[in-house]
Coordinates of all heavy atoms in Angstrom, one line a residue:
L67 N 96.3 100.9 90.1 CA 96.9 101.4 88.9 C 98.2 100.6 88.6 O 99.1 100.5 89.4 CB 97.3 102.9 89.1 CG 98.1 103.5 87.9 CD1 97.2 103.6 86.7 CD2 98.6 104.9 88.3
E68 N 98.2 100.0 87.4 CA 99.3 99.2 87.0 C 100.0 99.9 85.8 O 99.3 100.2 84.8 CB 98.8 97.8 86.5 CG 99.9 96.9 86.0 CD 99.4 95.6 85.3 OE1 98.3 95.6 84.7 OE2 100.1 94.6 85.5
I69 N 101.3 100.1 85.9 CA 102.0 100.7 84.8 C 102.8 99.6 84.1 O 103.8 99.1 84.7 CB 103.0 101.8 85.4 CG1 102.2 102.9 86.1 CG2 103.8 102.4 84.2 CD1 101.2 103.6 85.3
G70 N 102.4 99.3 82.9 CA 103.0 98.2 82.2 C 102.1 97.0 82.1 O 102.3 96.0 82.9
T71 N 101.2 97.0 81.2 CA 100.2 95.8 81.1 C 100.9 94.6 80.6 O 100.7 93.5 81.2 CB 99.1 96.2 80.0 OG1 98.6 97.4 80.3 CG2 98.1 95.1 80.0
G72 N 101.9 94.7 79.7 CA 102.6 93.5 79.2 C 101.6 92.5 78.6 O 100.7 92.7 77.9
S73 N 101.8 91.3 79.1 CA 100.9 90.2 78.7 C 99.5 90.2 79.2 O 98.6 89.6 78.7 CB 101.6 88.8 79.1 OG 101.5 88.7 80.6
G74 N 99.3 91.0 80.3 CA 98.0 91.0 81.0 C 97.9 90.0 82.1 O 96.8 90.0 82.8
Y75 N 98.9 89.2 82.4 CA 98.7 88.2 83.4 C 98.7 88.8 84.8 O 97.8 88.5 85.6 CB 99.9 87.2 83.3 CG 99.9 86.1 84.4 CD1 98.9 85.2 84.5 CD2 101.0 86.0 85.2 CE1 98.9 84.2 85.4 CE2 101.0 85.0 86.2 CZ 99.9 84.1 86.3 OH 100.0 83.1 87.2
L76 N 99.6 89.7 85.1 CA 99.5 90.4 86.4 C 98.3 91.2 86.5 O 97.7 91.3 87.6 CB 100.8 91.3 86.6 CG 100.8 92.0 88.0 CD1 100.8 91.0 89.2 CD2 102.1 92.8 88.1
T77 N 97.8 91.8 85.4 CA 96.6 92.5 85.4 C 95.4 91.6 85.9 O 94.6 92.0 86.7 CB 96.3 93.1 84.0 OG1 97.4 93.6 83.4 CG2 95.1 94.1 84.0
A78 N 95.4 90.4 85.4 CA 94.4 89.5 85.7 C 94.5 89.1 87.2 O 93.5 88.9 87.9 CB 94.4 88.2 84.9
L79 N 95.7 88.9 87.7 CA 95.9 88.5 89.1 C 95.4 89.6 90.0 O 94.7 89.4 91.0 CB 97.4 88.2 89.4 CG 98.0 87.1 88.7 CD1 99.6 87.1 88.9 CD2 97.5 85.7 89.2
L80 N 95.7 90.9 89.7 CA 95.3 92.0 90.5 C 93.8 92.2 90.4 O 93.2 92.5 91.5 CB 96.0 93.3 90.0 CG 97.5 93.4 90.2 CD1 98.1 94.5 89.3 CD2 97.8 93.7 91.7
A81 N 93.2 92.0 89.3 CA 91.8 92.1 89.1 C 91.0 91.1 89.9 O 89.9 91.3 90.3 CB 91.4 92.0 87.6
S82 N 91.7 89.9 90.2 CA 91.0 88.8 90.9 C 90.8 89.1 92.4 O 90.0 88.5 93.0 CB 91.8 87.6 90.7 OG 91.9 87.2 89.4
C83 N 91.5 90.2 92.9 CA 91.5 90.4 94.3 C 91.3 91.9 94.6 O 91.5 92.3 95.8 CB 92.7 89.9 95.0 SG 94.3 90.5 94.3
S84 N 90.9 92.7 93.7 CA 90.6 94.1 93.9 C 89.3 94.5 93.3 O 88.7 93.8 92.5 CB 91.8 95.0 93.3 OG 91.8 94.8 91.9
E85 N 88.9 95.8 93.5 CA 87.6 96.2 92.9 C 87.8 96.6 91.5 O 87.0 96.2 90.6 CB 87.1 97.5 93.7 CG 85.8 98.1 93.1 CD 85.4 99.3 93.8 OE1 85.8 99.5 95.0 OE2 84.5 100.0 93.3
H86 N 88.9 97.2 91.1 CA 89.1 97.6 89.7 C 90.6 97.9 89.5 O 91.3 98.3 90.4 CB 88.3 98.9 89.4 CG 88.3 99.2 88.0 ND1 89.2 100.0 87.4 CD2 87.4 98.9 87.0 CE1 88.9 100.1 86.1 NE2 87.8 99.5 85.8
V87 N 91.0 97.6 88.2 CA 92.4 97.8 87.8 C 92.4 98.7 86.6 O 91.7 98.4 85.6 CB 93.1 96.5 87.5 CG1 94.6 96.7 87.0 CG2 93.2 95.6 88.7
T88 N 93.2 99.7 86.6 CA 93.5 100.5 85.4 C 94.9 100.2 85.0 O 95.8 100.4 85.9 CB 93.3 102.0 85.7 OG1 91.9 102.3 86.0 CG2 93.7 102.8 84.4
S89 N 95.1 99.7 83.8 CA 96.5 99.3 83.4 C 96.9 100.1 82.2 O 96.1 100.2 81.2 CB 96.5 97.8 83.1 OG 97.8 97.3 82.8
I90 N 98.1 100.6 82.2 CA 98.7 101.4 81.2 C 99.8 100.7 80.5 O 100.7 100.1 81.1 CB 99.3 102.8 81.8 CG1 98.3 103.3 82.8 CG2 99.6 103.8 80.7 CD1 97.0 103.8 82.3
D91 N 99.8 100.8 79.1 CA 101.0 100.3 78.4 C 101.2 101.2 77.1 O 100.3 101.6 76.5 CB 100.8 98.9 78.0 CG 102.1 98.1 77.7 OD1 102.8 98.4 76.7 OD2 102.5 97.3 78.6
I92 N 102.5 101.4 76.8 CA 102.9 102.2 75.7 C 102.6 101.5 74.3 O 102.5 102.1 73.3 CB 104.3 102.7 75.8 CG1 104.6 103.8 74.9 CG2 105.3 101.5 75.6 CD1 106.0 104.5 75.1
H93 N 102.5 100.1 74.4 CA 102.4 99.3 73.1 C 100.9 99.0 72.9 O 100.3 98.3 73.7 CB 103.2 98.1 73.2 CG 104.7 98.3 73.4 ND1 105.5 98.9 72.4 CD2 105.6 98.1 74.4 CE1 106.7 99.0 72.8 NE2 106.8 98.5 74.0
S94 N 100.4 99.5 71.8 CA 99.0 99.2 71.5 C 98.7 97.7 71.2 O 97.7 97.2 71.5 CB 98.6 100.0 70.2 OG 99.4 99.6 69.1

């Protein structure tokens, strides 16, 4: 669970080494 998607870069890093990432961001 990632709180703060932002650019999506850390999301991609986490997804590269885990089964699944759910990422939340307040900005559409």
Side-chain angles (χ1 to χ4, degrees):
L67 175 65
E68 178 189 36
I69 304 299
T71 309
S73 70
Y75 179 58
L76 181 58
T77 315
L79 295 171
L80 291 165
S82 298
C83 52
S84 64
E85 180 180 341
H86 190 271
V87 178
T88 296
S89 186
I90 316 297
D91 204 287
I92 196 170
H93 299 294
S94 60

